[in-house]
Amino acid sequence: MKEKPKKIRKTKRKSLKILLLLVIILIAFIGYKGLKAYFKLQNATQGEVIHSSMRNQELKDTQPFSILFLGIENYATKGQGGRTDSIILVTVNPKDNTIQKMSIPRDTYVEIPDQKRKSKINGAYNSGLQSTVNTVENFLHVPIDYYVTVDFGGFKNIVDEVGGINVDVPFDFWQYTDTKPRYKVYFKKGNQHLNGTEALAYARMRKRDPRGDFGREERQQQAMLAIIDKLKSPKTLFKIDKYASVFSKNVTTNMSLSEGLFLFNDMKETNPKNITTLKLDGKDDYIDRIYYYMPDQTSVTAITSSLRSHLELDKSPANSNSK
């Protein structure tokens, strides 16, 4: 067998060395950005500690759990107090990789235990995060294990950082931006690419939606899923430190970093067919000329049953507070 010329062998070795060097640089680059992202995300995971009155022991790795997602509207109060503009409860069952989710309209008329009165559920946040957790637990009789709060003022920064999002606009409408000076953004039925300011306007419009809060909540969930879809991209690795910086400034949670990453990976891989959306039925009503959404008790009972079953809680809420 004829030996290959030394020049060819040297060229191949040189090419291999260059390729190996590039791989090492790439790994180091990703590792460096990953390390930066880790420390930045630690800020996001150092949120307020909450306590569930319906859990008396730590969750096991395979045990179903719940997450309360809250969109906080506090830019009008300069970051102080505020209200929950969006309330989404999600239950996750890791055993069969299923998810149940429901939106609670912000005007829902409920008992707010910490304020010892009945009012709109979004007002519970005025007494703090724990008050909102207590109110949701009291209303639906399911434990709240984790929470994630998103500052709506910073929501647009997150969207801009991921390069905008694509949404399927359900119908033509317009909405004012929250910028100064304000201006109208027009949305046309069909696929549309939105930057941060446009995405916030899209997620907040309610008055021109024939379905009111329910239509808005679907658009908010749509925007959240669009962000997650963007984060699935391999390009995420190269901007992970920038993403982490934006998220740490606008998102707080009581999840550990490992729990958050585990959840993100689970949600990323979940088949849409395994996601069930629950709808809270009710009616519009006024008390002292103030609008409220009055929940139908039959619907509340059915939702409680479904959520508790998904969380593998067999006892009825009337029988026990520890599940």
Side-chain angles (χ1 to χ4, degrees):
M1 185 174 179
K2 195 171 183 180
E3 189 177 348
K4 292 182 181 179
K6 289 185 179 180
K7 189 174 181 180
I8 295 176
R9 291 204 304 273
K10 284 183 178 180
T11 301
K12 284 192 172 183
R13 281 200 299 271
K14 187 176 180 180
S15 299
L16 188 61
K17 286 180 180 178
I18 292 173
L19 179 62
L20 185 60
L21 181 62
L22 288 172
V23 171
I24 291 172
I25 291 173
L26 180 64
I27 291 172
F29 175 75
I30 293 173
Y32 167 71
K33 284 187 172 286
L35 192 61
K36 284 177 68 179
Y38 173 80
F39 288 113
K40 287 174 181 175
L41 284 173
Q42 284 293 90
N43 294 330
T45 60
Q46 291 176 353
E48 180 181 337
V49 176
I50 61 168
H51 304 282
S52 171
S53 63
M54 306 184 75
R55 294 280 195 198
N56 60 4
Q57 57 186 2
E58 289 187 9
L59 289 168
K60 297 177 182 179
D61 291 342
T62 58
Q63 192 172 347
F65 57 90
S66 65
I67 314 169
L68 188 64
F69 290 91
L70 303 172
I72 308 300
E73 183 187 71
N74 60 7
Y75 41 82
T77 56
K78 298 181 179 179
Q80 302 298 317
R83 290 174 177 267
T84 45
D85 199 49
S86 175
I87 306 171
I88 300 173
L89 178 60
V90 174
T91 56
V92 182
N93 191 319
K95 297 176 184 177
D96 55 13
N97 204 29
T98 56
I99 291 174
Q100 286 192 357
K101 62 184 178 70
M102 71 164 294
S103 289
I104 305 175
R106 66 177 189 171
D107 296 320
T108 303
Y109 190 65
V110 298
E111 179 73 34
I112 302 178
D114 296 82
Q115 297 176 9
K116 297 180 180 179
R117 67 186 180 111
K118 278 195 166 186
S119 189
K120 297 182 180 184
I121 194 169
N122 69 340
Y125 193 76
N126 288 331
S127 300
L129 174 63
Q130 184 66 54
S131 175
T132 298
V133 170
N134 295 342
T135 300
V136 174
E137 287 194 341
N138 183 68
F139 177 48
L140 294 174
H141 302 289
V142 293
I144 303 301
D145 300 307
Y146 300 108
Y147 73 87
V148 177
T149 69
V150 180
D151 174 7
F152 263 124
F155 170 78
K156 55 188 176 184
N157 297 332
I158 294 173
V159 173
D160 281 334
E161 193 57 55
V162 300
I165 57 175
N166 294 315
V167 297
D168 186 14
V169 181
F171 55 88
D172 295 355
F173 68 90
W174 60 268
Q175 173 70 5
Y176 276 113
T177 66
D178 68 326
T179 56
K180 293 183 178 180
R182 299 171 72 203
Y183 61 91
K184 287 182 180 180
V185 180
Y186 293 90
F187 301 93
K188 297 293 182 182
K189 183 177 180 179
N191 189 61
Q192 193 168 338
H193 184 78
L194 308 178
N195 62 27
T197 299
E198 294 165 343
L200 183 57
Y202 179 78
R204 297 199 66 226
M205 192 280 287
R206 176 178 61 158
K207 292 181 179 179
R208 282 163 293 280
D209 193 316
R211 298 179 61 225
D213 257 333
F214 290 108
R216 184 176 69 162
E217 286 152 10
E218 284 189 3
R219 280 181 278 109
Q220 289 174 347
Q221 291 181 38
Q222 186 186 29
M224 287 173 58
L225 292 173
I227 292 172
I228 292 174
D229 193 56
K230 273 299 191 73
L231 293 174
K232 291 180 185 179
S233 169
K235 294 179 182 177
T236 298
L237 288 173
F238 296 95
K239 296 187 70 177
I240 190 170
D241 58 326
K242 290 185 178 180
Y243 291 163
S245 179
V246 175
F247 274 78
S248 67
K249 292 175 183 176
N250 301 289
V251 177
T252 59
T253 178
N254 63 335
M255 289 185 190
S256 67
L257 184 58
S258 59
E259 288 170 331
L261 291 173
F262 178 79
L263 173 65
F264 172 74
N265 187 63
D266 260 13
M267 291 184 72
K268 188 174 67 173
E269 301 299 329
T270 299
N271 188 320
K273 293 180 180 179
N274 290 341
I275 300 176
T276 302
T277 300
L278 306 176
K279 181 180 179 297
L280 177 63
D281 294 328
K283 65 178 182 178
D284 302 332
D285 204 353
Y286 289 83
I287 299 176
D288 296 329
R289 293 187 292 184
I290 298 174
Y291 169 77
Y292 294 95
Y293 183 73
M294 299 296 187
D296 179 81
Q297 190 53 50
T298 301
S299 177
V300 173
T301 301
I303 287 172
T304 294
S305 177
S306 181
L307 292 173
R308 290 177 62 82
S309 176
H310 194 233
L311 289 170
E312 298 181 359
L313 302 176
D314 297 326
K315 298 176 183 178
S316 69
N319 292 335
S320 176
N321 283 331
S322 62
K323 310 292 182 281

